[in-house]
Amino acid sequence: MKSFSALALLSFVSVAVAFSEPAGHEFQAPGPNDQRSPCPGLNALANHAYLPRNGQNITVPQVLDAALVGFNFDWPVFLLVAKQGLLTSTDKSSETMMSLEPLVLHNLIELDASLSRSDYQNGTGDSLHFNETIYSVLANSNPGVDYYNTTSMAQVMYQRLQYSKATNPTLINTQKEVNGRGGTAALALTSMGNATTGVAPKQFVDILFREERLPFLEGWKPSPVLITTDLIGPLVGAMVAGSNWTATQSCEPIVSGPGNSVDTAA
Ligand SMILES: *[C@@H]1O[C@H](CO)[C@@H](O)[C@H](O)[C@H]1NC(C)=O
Ligand SMILES: *[C@@H]1O[C@H](CO)[C@@H](O)[C@H](O)[C@H]1NC(C)=O
Ligand SMILES: *[C@@H]1O[C@H](CO)[C@@H](O)[C@H](O)[C@H]1NC(C)=O
Ligand SMILES: *[C@@H]1O[C@H](CO)[C@@H](O)[C@H](O)[C@H]1NC(C)=O
Ligand SMILES: *[C@@H]1O[C@H](CO)[C@@H](O)[C@H](O)[C@H]1NC(C)=O
Ligand SMILES: *[C@@H]1O[C@H](CO)[C@@H](O)[C@H](O)[C@H]1NC(C)=O
């Protein structure tokens, strides 16, 4: 009987590691008429049909529900930024809806020195699509272990800003940007890893950024605890502090829509 139970255990283990994607939420890469944003998390939600796969005409509650169901993010985490999303276009439907690509509008939600996109560089840089060279700073961080954490993310934030300072003459780097950069780093760590400690497996984070896919097949699941602003706040604080940040400007451009920017930074 001993060998039988060992066999039974083995088959149980092999069943247990055959992870699958939730029905109706299978990964599907975007088609030619589907829109995607500069944010890998939003794109992954669309690639798994938590948001409309076409990435268009999405309401604020749809964004908040998708982040809740897909990642277990509490509504208040994205409430402000989702409302800002409505400002990124001026067509009539933008009264109540946003589409993913216009979220690239520079200095509203999209910021310089991000983890995975080039800087806008006054229109000459691609701030919309994933860039492996930019991402390699994060991908090579925390060597020797298989996870990222707030310490390694703070180092990445520091290095990414040094690169932007050296290569981007139109860099915008105020308190707003560093909060946003710390915020996106915290979203990556909490959505892919432990939302309390901010420790996330490299494999999961890399799949999210590189493939804009939720790593269900590798064993990832949405956080078992609701990811609240109370959990995210201290992680952002730790990363901003650990990144030895200093401002480049004290005032930020005020962006209120496409073609509507008051350059208080100049
Ligand atoms: C989005 O809404 C606008 C305005 O109502 C409409 O013209 C457009 O066809 C819609 N796009 C999709 C993909 O439904
Ligand atoms: C950035 O673009 C604005 C508007 O086109 C222009 O006035 C400004 O000179 C540009 N700055 C740089 C550094 O290219
Ligand atoms: C990706 O980023 C690198 C480093 O900034 C840059 O040299 C390269 O042109 C970017 N690639 C694309 C396709 O924008
Ligand atoms: C992050 O991981 C590194 C490498 O294991 C470790 O030295 C560091 O203390 C960790 N940071 C935190 C906040 O635990
Ligand atoms: C921040 O400064 C401290 C003190 O000089 C240093 O030990 C640490 O390595 C710096 N961190 C980064 C990310 O540069
Ligand atoms: C997150 O880490 C804490 C501290 O190590 C641990 O108590 C908790 O169980 C972890 N949560 C999950 C979901 O693994």
Side-chain angles (χ1 to χ4, degrees), residues 172-214:
I172 299 293
N173 167 42
T174 74
Q175 186 72 51
K176 174 187 165 180
E177 282 72 34
V178 79
N179 288 347
R181 292 167 57 226
T184 53
L187 297 181
L189 293 177
T190 57
S191 66
M192 290 297 109
N194 184 310
T196 310
T197 59
V199 174
K202 287 181 175 178
Q203 184 194 22
F204 293 172
V205 175
D206 291 349
I207 289 171
L208 178 73
F209 276 97
R210 287 185 169 134
E211 301 176 41
E212 302 191 333
R213 177 167 71 77
L214 301 177

mmCIF file of all heavy atoms in Angstrom, residues 172-214:
data_model
loop_
_atom_site.group_PDB
_atom_site.id
_atom_site.type_symbol
_atom_site.label_atom_id
_atom_site.label_comp_id
_atom_site.label_asym_id
_atom_site.label_seq_id
_atom_site.Cartn_x
_atom_site.Cartn_y
_atom_site.Cartn_z
ATOM 1 N N ILE A 172 10.638 65.726 -16.841
ATOM 2 C CA ILE A 172 9.824 66.316 -15.773
ATOM 3 C C ILE A 172 9.933 65.392 -14.569
ATOM 4 O O ILE A 172 9.646 64.194 -14.648
ATOM 5 C CB ILE A 172 8.347 66.476 -16.202
ATOM 6 C CG1 ILE A 172 8.213 67.406 -17.422
ATOM 7 C CG2 ILE A 172 7.514 67.010 -15.034
ATOM 8 C CD1 ILE A 172 8.574 68.860 -17.188
ATOM 9 N N ASN A 173 10.361 65.956 -13.441
ATOM 10 C CA ASN A 173 10.658 65.155 -12.255
ATOM 11 C C ASN A 173 10.348 65.969 -10.998
ATOM 12 O O ASN A 173 11.223 66.611 -10.420
ATOM 13 C CB ASN A 173 12.136 64.728 -12.301
ATOM 14 C CG ASN A 173 12.624 64.156 -10.986
ATOM 15 O OD1 ASN A 173 11.926 63.375 -10.340
ATOM 16 N ND2 ASN A 173 13.820 64.555 -10.572
ATOM 17 N N THR A 174 9.058 65.994 -10.652
ATOM 18 C CA THR A 174 8.623 66.711 -9.453
ATOM 19 C C THR A 174 8.076 65.691 -8.450
ATOM 20 O O THR A 174 8.080 64.489 -8.698
ATOM 21 C CB THR A 174 7.515 67.735 -9.772
ATOM 22 O OG1 THR A 174 6.282 67.022 -10.001
ATOM 23 C CG2 THR A 174 7.842 68.577 -11.000
ATOM 24 N N GLN A 175 7.577 66.195 -7.343
ATOM 25 C CA GLN A 175 6.971 65.322 -6.327
ATOM 26 C C GLN A 175 5.855 64.463 -6.928
ATOM 27 O O GLN A 175 5.693 63.297 -6.570
ATOM 28 C CB GLN A 175 6.396 66.190 -5.187
ATOM 29 C CG GLN A 175 5.882 65.392 -4.018
ATOM 30 C CD GLN A 175 7.020 64.776 -3.196
ATOM 31 O OE1 GLN A 175 7.952 65.470 -2.812
ATOM 32 N NE2 GLN A 175 6.938 63.484 -2.922
ATOM 33 N N LYS A 176 5.104 65.028 -7.868
ATOM 34 C CA LYS A 176 4.032 64.250 -8.487
ATOM 35 C C LYS A 176 4.592 63.024 -9.202
ATOM 36 O O LYS A 176 4.045 61.919 -9.091
ATOM 37 C CB LYS A 176 3.260 65.127 -9.485
ATOM 38 C CG LYS A 176 2.224 64.341 -10.285
ATOM 39 C CD LYS A 176 1.581 65.182 -11.379
ATOM 40 C CE LYS A 176 0.863 64.282 -12.366
ATOM 41 N NZ LYS A 176 0.224 65.036 -13.447
ATOM 42 N N GLU A 177 5.675 63.221 -9.951
ATOM 43 C CA GLU A 177 6.243 62.092 -10.712
ATOM 44 C C GLU A 177 6.809 61.029 -9.778
ATOM 45 O O GLU A 177 6.628 59.837 -10.006
ATOM 46 C CB GLU A 177 7.336 62.570 -11.674
ATOM 47 C CG GLU A 177 6.808 63.210 -12.947
ATOM 48 C CD GLU A 177 6.214 64.578 -12.703
ATOM 49 O OE1 GLU A 177 6.729 65.305 -11.820
ATOM 50 O OE2 GLU A 177 5.214 64.919 -13.367
ATOM 51 N N VAL A 178 7.509 61.438 -8.734
ATOM 52 C CA VAL A 178 8.109 60.401 -7.881
ATOM 53 C C VAL A 178 7.026 59.622 -7.128
ATOM 54 O O VAL A 178 7.135 58.405 -6.946
ATOM 55 C CB VAL A 178 9.191 60.978 -6.938
ATOM 56 C CG1 VAL A 178 8.596 61.670 -5.727
ATOM 57 C CG2 VAL A 178 10.132 59.850 -6.496
ATOM 58 N N ASN A 179 5.964 60.299 -6.761
ATOM 59 C CA ASN A 179 4.848 59.568 -6.135
ATOM 60 C C ASN A 179 4.242 58.576 -7.137
ATOM 61 O O ASN A 179 3.931 57.437 -6.782
ATOM 62 C CB ASN A 179 3.751 60.531 -5.675
ATOM 63 C CG ASN A 179 4.171 61.345 -4.468
ATOM 64 O OD1 ASN A 179 5.177 61.043 -3.824
ATOM 65 N ND2 ASN A 179 3.417 62.388 -4.161
ATOM 66 N N GLY A 180 4.078 59.014 -8.374
ATOM 67 C CA GLY A 180 3.512 58.141 -9.410
ATOM 68 C C GLY A 180 4.431 56.967 -9.701
ATOM 69 O O GLY A 180 3.978 55.833 -9.876
ATOM 70 N N ARG A 181 5.744 57.233 -9.735
ATOM 71 C CA ARG A 181 6.698 56.158 -10.019
ATOM 72 C C ARG A 181 6.731 55.161 -8.865
ATOM 73 O O ARG A 181 6.751 53.943 -9.082
ATOM 74 C CB ARG A 181 8.069 56.753 -10.296
ATOM 75 C CG ARG A 181 8.093 57.550 -11.616
ATOM 76 C CD ARG A 181 9.362 58.388 -11.728
ATOM 77 N NE ARG A 181 10.534 57.544 -11.615
ATOM 78 C CZ ARG A 181 11.597 57.816 -10.845
ATOM 79 N NH1 ARG A 181 11.631 58.928 -10.124
ATOM 80 N NH2 ARG A 181 12.611 56.993 -10.810
ATOM 81 N N GLY A 182 6.738 55.663 -7.641
ATOM 82 C CA GLY A 182 6.668 54.763 -6.480
ATOM 83 C C GLY A 182 5.356 53.998 -6.472
ATOM 84 O O GLY A 182 5.299 52.814 -6.133
ATOM 85 N N GLY A 183 4.287 54.680 -6.900
ATOM 86 C CA GLY A 183 2.969 54.040 -6.957
ATOM 87 C C GLY A 183 2.949 52.892 -7.943
ATOM 88 O O GLY A 183 2.474 51.800 -7.628
ATOM 89 N N THR A 184 3.492 53.105 -9.143
ATOM 90 C CA THR A 184 3.454 52.022 -10.130
ATOM 91 C C THR A 184 4.340 50.853 -9.680
ATOM 92 O O THR A 184 3.987 49.687 -9.893
ATOM 93 C CB THR A 184 3.871 52.496 -11.542
ATOM 94 O OG1 THR A 184 5.124 53.153 -11.457
ATOM 95 C CG2 THR A 184 2.852 53.427 -12.135
ATOM 96 N N ALA A 185 5.465 51.166 -9.038
ATOM 97 C CA ALA A 185 6.321 50.089 -8.515
ATOM 98 C C ALA A 185 5.558 49.288 -7.457
ATOM 99 O O ALA A 185 5.601 48.046 -7.437
ATOM 100 C CB ALA A 185 7.602 50.668 -7.932
ATOM 101 N N ALA A 186 4.820 49.987 -6.608
ATOM 102 C CA ALA A 186 4.038 49.298 -5.565
ATOM 103 C C ALA A 186 2.923 48.461 -6.187
ATOM 104 O O ALA A 186 2.624 47.357 -5.713
ATOM 105 C CB ALA A 186 3.453 50.321 -4.585
ATOM 106 N N LEU A 187 2.313 48.965 -7.253
ATOM 107 C CA LEU A 187 1.260 48.182 -7.925
ATOM 108 C C LEU A 187 1.832 46.877 -8.474
ATOM 109 O O LEU A 187 1.213 45.813 -8.345
ATOM 110 C CB LEU A 187 0.631 48.982 -9.069
ATOM 111 C CG LEU A 187 -0.094 50.272 -8.703
ATOM 112 C CD1 LEU A 187 -0.676 50.917 -9.959
ATOM 113 C CD2 LEU A 187 -1.166 50.044 -7.656
ATOM 114 N N ALA A 188 3.023 46.958 -9.058
ATOM 115 C CA ALA A 188 3.644 45.750 -9.617
ATOM 116 C C ALA A 188 3.948 44.745 -8.503
ATOM 117 O O ALA A 188 3.632 43.550 -8.626
ATOM 118 C CB ALA A 188 4.916 46.114 -10.372
ATOM 119 N N LEU A 189 4.546 45.221 -7.411
ATOM 120 C CA LEU A 189 4.928 44.301 -6.328
ATOM 121 C C LEU A 189 3.703 43.702 -5.636
ATOM 122 O O LEU A 189 3.667 42.495 -5.366
ATOM 123 C CB LEU A 189 5.790 45.037 -5.284
ATOM 124 C CG LEU A 189 7.177 45.490 -5.728
ATOM 125 C CD1 LEU A 189 7.869 46.267 -4.613
ATOM 126 C CD2 LEU A 189 8.038 44.297 -6.156
ATOM 127 N N THR A 190 2.689 44.535 -5.369
ATOM 128 C CA THR A 190 1.529 44.019 -4.623
ATOM 129 C C THR A 190 0.634 43.149 -5.494
ATOM 130 O O THR A 190 0.051 42.180 -5.001
ATOM 131 C CB THR A 190 0.688 45.163 -4.020
ATOM 132 O OG1 THR A 190 0.265 46.052 -5.066
ATOM 133 C CG2 THR A 190 1.471 45.939 -2.971
ATOM 134 N N SER A 191 0.523 43.477 -6.786
ATOM 135 C CA SER A 191 -0.358 42.670 -7.638
ATOM 136 C C SER A 191 0.256 41.314 -7.944
ATOM 137 O O SER A 191 -0.456 40.315 -8.066
ATOM 138 C CB SER A 191 -0.674 43.399 -8.949
ATOM 139 O OG SER A 191 0.481 43.551 -9.746
ATOM 140 N N MET A 192 1.575 41.265 -8.063
ATOM 141 C CA MET A 192 2.235 40.005 -8.436
ATOM 142 C C MET A 192 2.749 39.240 -7.215
ATOM 143 O O MET A 192 3.087 38.070 -7.313
ATOM 144 C CB MET A 192 3.400 40.286 -9.397
ATOM 145 C CG MET A 192 2.961 40.729 -10.764
ATOM 146 S SD MET A 192 1.991 39.453 -11.646
ATOM 147 C CE MET A 192 0.367 40.174 -11.627
ATOM 148 N N GLY A 193 2.837 39.914 -6.062
ATOM 149 C CA GLY A 193 3.433 39.259 -4.897
ATOM 150 C C GLY A 193 2.630 39.429 -3.632
ATOM 151 O O GLY A 193 1.406 39.483 -3.665
ATOM 152 N N ASN A 194 3.345 39.541 -2.535
ATOM 153 C CA ASN A 194 2.717 39.665 -1.221
ATOM 154 C C ASN A 194 2.385 41.141 -0.972
ATOM 155 O O ASN A 194 3.285 41.982 -0.872
ATOM 156 C CB ASN A 194 3.688 39.115 -0.163
ATOM 157 C CG ASN A 194 3.087 39.110 1.223
ATOM 158 O OD1 ASN A 194 2.544 40.109 1.673
ATOM 159 N ND2 ASN A 194 3.198 37.976 1.911
ATOM 160 N N ALA A 195 1.110 41.449 -0.865
ATOM 161 C CA ALA A 195 0.667 42.843 -0.787
ATOM 162 C C ALA A 195 1.025 43.487 0.548
ATOM 163 O O ALA A 195 0.983 44.711 0.676
ATOM 164 C CB ALA A 195 -0.838 42.930 -1.021
ATOM 165 N N THR A 196 1.367 42.688 1.540
ATOM 166 C CA THR A 196 1.757 43.242 2.847
ATOM 167 C C THR A 196 3.242 43.581 2.868
ATOM 168 O O THR A 196 3.639 44.649 3.341
ATOM 169 C CB THR A 196 1.448 42.226 3.964
ATOM 170 O OG1 THR A 196 0.108 41.779 3.799
ATOM 171 C CG2 THR A 196 1.616 42.846 5.330
ATOM 172 N N THR A 197 4.064 42.677 2.337
ATOM 173 C CA THR A 197 5.514 42.866 2.411
ATOM 174 C C THR A 197 6.092 43.504 1.149
ATOM 175 O O THR A 197 7.220 44.000 1.165
ATOM 176 C CB THR A 197 6.212 41.508 2.604
ATOM 177 O OG1 THR A 197 5.870 40.666 1.487
ATOM 178 C CG2 THR A 197 5.754 40.824 3.889
ATOM 179 N N GLY A 198 5.349 43.474 0.041
ATOM 180 C CA GLY A 198 5.882 43.996 -1.214
ATOM 181 C C GLY A 198 6.982 43.119 -1.796
ATOM 182 O O GLY A 198 7.823 43.606 -2.539
ATOM 183 N N VAL A 199 6.971 41.840 -1.472
ATOM 184 C CA VAL A 199 7.928 40.885 -2.056
ATOM 185 C C VAL A 199 7.213 40.119 -3.170
ATOM 186 O O VAL A 199 6.156 39.532 -2.932
ATOM 187 C CB VAL A 199 8.457 39.907 -0.984
ATOM 188 C CG1 VAL A 199 9.337 38.825 -1.607
ATOM 189 C CG2 VAL A 199 9.233 40.673 0.094
ATOM 190 N N ALA A 200 7.765 40.166 -4.388
ATOM 191 C CA ALA A 200 7.076 39.551 -5.537
ATOM 192 C C ALA A 200 8.040 38.684 -6.331
ATOM 193 O O ALA A 200 9.170 39.116 -6.622
ATOM 194 C CB ALA A 200 6.493 40.635 -6.435
ATOM 195 N N PRO A 201 7.620 37.465 -6.730
ATOM 196 C CA PRO A 201 8.474 36.613 -7.560
ATOM 197 C C PRO A 201 8.850 37.322 -8.863
ATOM 198 O O PRO A 201 7.988 37.881 -9.544
ATOM 199 C CB PRO A 201 7.582 35.389 -7.849
ATOM 200 C CG PRO A 201 6.560 35.381 -6.757
ATOM 201 C CD PRO A 201 6.328 36.825 -6.406
ATOM 202 N N LYS A 202 10.132 37.267 -9.191
ATOM 203 C CA LYS A 202 10.595 37.895 -10.438
ATOM 204 C C LYS A 202 9.848 37.340 -11.645
ATOM 205 O O LYS A 202 9.492 38.081 -12.562
ATOM 206 C CB LYS A 202 12.104 37.629 -10.626
ATOM 207 C CG LYS A 202 12.975 38.436 -9.694
ATOM 208 C CD LYS A 202 14.459 38.153 -9.932
ATOM 209 C CE LYS A 202 15.294 39.077 -9.065
ATOM 210 N NZ LYS A 202 16.746 38.809 -9.209
ATOM 211 N N GLN A 203 9.621 36.031 -11.643
ATOM 212 C CA GLN A 203 8.969 35.384 -12.787
ATOM 213 C C GLN A 203 7.611 36.028 -13.078
ATOM 214 O O GLN A 203 7.276 36.318 -14.223
ATOM 215 C CB GLN A 203 8.797 33.887 -12.504
ATOM 216 C CG GLN A 203 8.223 33.117 -13.680
ATOM 217 C CD GLN A 203 7.738 31.714 -13.322
ATOM 218 O OE1 GLN A 203 7.439 31.419 -12.160
ATOM 219 N NE2 GLN A 203 7.669 30.852 -14.308
ATOM 220 N N PHE A 204 6.817 36.269 -12.034
ATOM 221 C CA PHE A 204 5.474 36.832 -12.224
ATOM 222 C C PHE A 204 5.554 38.286 -12.723
ATOM 223 O O PHE A 204 4.848 38.682 -13.654
ATOM 224 C CB PHE A 204 4.677 36.792 -10.914
ATOM 225 C CG PHE A 204 4.322 35.399 -10.427
ATOM 226 C CD1 PHE A 204 3.746 35.223 -9.167
ATOM 227 C CD2 PHE A 204 4.547 34.277 -11.218
ATOM 228 C CE1 PHE A 204 3.405 33.954 -8.703
ATOM 229 C CE2 PHE A 204 4.211 33.000 -10.763
ATOM 230 C CZ PHE A 204 3.633 32.841 -9.499
ATOM 231 N N VAL A 205 6.416 39.073 -12.093
ATOM 232 C CA VAL A 205 6.544 40.488 -12.477
ATOM 233 C C VAL A 205 7.040 40.589 -13.920
ATOM 234 O O VAL A 205 6.521 41.386 -14.719
ATOM 235 C CB VAL A 205 7.493 41.227 -11.509
ATOM 236 C CG1 VAL A 205 7.716 42.669 -11.970
ATOM 237 C CG2 VAL A 205 6.934 41.208 -10.079
ATOM 238 N N ASP A 206 8.007 39.750 -14.277
ATOM 239 C CA ASP A 206 8.563 39.800 -15.642
ATOM 240 C C ASP A 206 7.504 39.432 -16.683
ATOM 241 O O ASP A 206 7.448 40.036 -17.761
ATOM 242 C CB ASP A 206 9.765 38.847 -15.759
ATOM 243 C CG ASP A 206 10.974 39.330 -14.962
ATOM 244 O OD1 ASP A 206 10.969 40.492 -14.500
ATOM 245 O OD2 ASP A 206 11.928 38.537 -14.784
ATOM 246 N N ILE A 207 6.667 38.462 -16.380
ATOM 247 C CA ILE A 207 5.602 38.077 -17.323
ATOM 248 C C ILE A 207 4.598 39.221 -17.469
ATOM 249 O O ILE A 207 4.158 39.557 -18.573
ATOM 250 C CB ILE A 207 4.914 36.769 -16.870
ATOM 251 C CG1 ILE A 207 5.866 35.578 -17.056
ATOM 252 C CG2 ILE A 207 3.605 36.536 -17.630
ATOM 253 C CD1 ILE A 207 5.384 34.270 -16.437
ATOM 254 N N LEU A 208 4.264 39.855 -16.355
ATOM 255 C CA LEU A 208 3.317 40.981 -16.417
ATOM 256 C C LEU A 208 3.849 42.082 -17.331
ATOM 257 O O LEU A 208 3.129 42.592 -18.200
ATOM 258 C CB LEU A 208 3.052 41.537 -15.012
ATOM 259 C CG LEU A 208 2.113 42.740 -14.988
ATOM 260 C CD1 LEU A 208 0.668 42.325 -15.259
ATOM 261 C CD2 LEU A 208 2.187 43.490 -13.651
ATOM 262 N N PHE A 209 5.119 42.459 -17.148
ATOM 263 C CA PHE A 209 5.671 43.557 -17.941
ATOM 264 C C PHE A 209 5.933 43.141 -19.380
ATOM 265 O O PHE A 209 5.593 43.863 -20.313
ATOM 266 C CB PHE A 209 6.969 44.080 -17.314
ATOM 267 C CG PHE A 209 6.734 45.085 -16.222
ATOM 268 C CD1 PHE A 209 6.734 44.698 -14.893
ATOM 269 C CD2 PHE A 209 6.510 46.424 -16.514
ATOM 270 C CE1 PHE A 209 6.516 45.622 -13.876
ATOM 271 C CE2 PHE A 209 6.300 47.357 -15.515
ATOM 272 C CZ PHE A 209 6.300 46.954 -14.182
ATOM 273 N N ARG A 210 6.573 41.982 -19.560
ATOM 274 C CA ARG A 210 7.038 41.613 -20.906
ATOM 275 C C ARG A 210 5.906 41.121 -21.801
ATOM 276 O O ARG A 210 5.893 41.369 -23.000
ATOM 277 C CB ARG A 210 8.103 40.524 -20.815
ATOM 278 C CG ARG A 210 9.421 41.044 -20.290
ATOM 279 C CD ARG A 210 10.457 39.938 -20.339
ATOM 280 N NE ARG A 210 11.783 40.471 -20.085
ATOM 281 C CZ ARG A 210 12.658 39.894 -19.237
ATOM 282 N NH1 ARG A 210 12.353 38.790 -18.604
ATOM 283 N NH2 ARG A 210 13.849 40.444 -19.056
ATOM 284 N N GLU A 211 4.965 40.373 -21.210
ATOM 285 C CA GLU A 211 3.912 39.768 -22.034
ATOM 286 C C GLU A 211 2.548 40.405 -21.792
ATOM 287 O O GLU A 211 1.587 40.097 -22.483
ATOM 288 C CB GLU A 211 3.824 38.262 -21.727
ATOM 289 C CG GLU A 211 5.114 37.521 -21.989
ATOM 290 C CD GLU A 211 5.018 36.054 -21.573
ATOM 291 O OE1 GLU A 211 3.968 35.432 -21.819
ATOM 292 O OE2 GLU A 211 5.988 35.554 -20.977
ATOM 293 N N GLU A 212 2.446 41.254 -20.772
ATOM 294 C CA GLU A 212 1.178 41.860 -20.372
ATOM 295 C C GLU A 212 0.135 40.752 -20.186
ATOM 296 O O GLU A 212 -1.005 40.834 -20.662
ATOM 297 C CB GLU A 212 0.780 42.959 -21.361
ATOM 298 C CG GLU A 212 1.904 43.985 -21.414
ATOM 299 C CD GLU A 212 1.647 45.292 -22.122
ATOM 300 O OE1 GLU A 212 0.811 45.325 -23.040
ATOM 301 O OE2 GLU A 212 2.267 46.296 -21.724
ATOM 302 N N ARG A 213 0.613 39.739 -19.499
ATOM 303 C CA ARG A 213 -0.176 38.533 -19.237
ATOM 304 C C ARG A 213 -0.211 38.312 -17.735
ATOM 305 O O ARG A 213 0.785 38.561 -17.045
ATOM 306 C CB ARG A 213 0.492 37.352 -19.953
ATOM 307 C CG ARG A 213 -0.167 36.010 -19.735
ATOM 308 C CD ARG A 213 0.352 34.970 -20.725
ATOM 309 N NE ARG A 213 1.734 34.530 -20.481
ATOM 310 C CZ ARG A 213 2.091 33.673 -19.523
ATOM 311 N NH1 ARG A 213 1.201 33.170 -18.692
ATOM 312 N NH2 ARG A 213 3.363 33.333 -19.383
ATOM 313 N N LEU A 214 -1.328 37.840 -17.218
ATOM 314 C CA LEU A 214 -1.414 37.452 -15.812
ATOM 315 C C LEU A 214 -0.910 36.018 -15.708
ATOM 316 O O LEU A 214 -1.430 35.133 -16.408
ATOM 317 C CB LEU A 214 -2.866 37.562 -15.312
ATOM 318 C CG LEU A 214 -3.472 38.962 -15.441
ATOM 319 C CD1 LEU A 214 -4.931 38.965 -14.982
ATOM 320 C CD2 LEU A 214 -2.670 39.986 -14.654
#
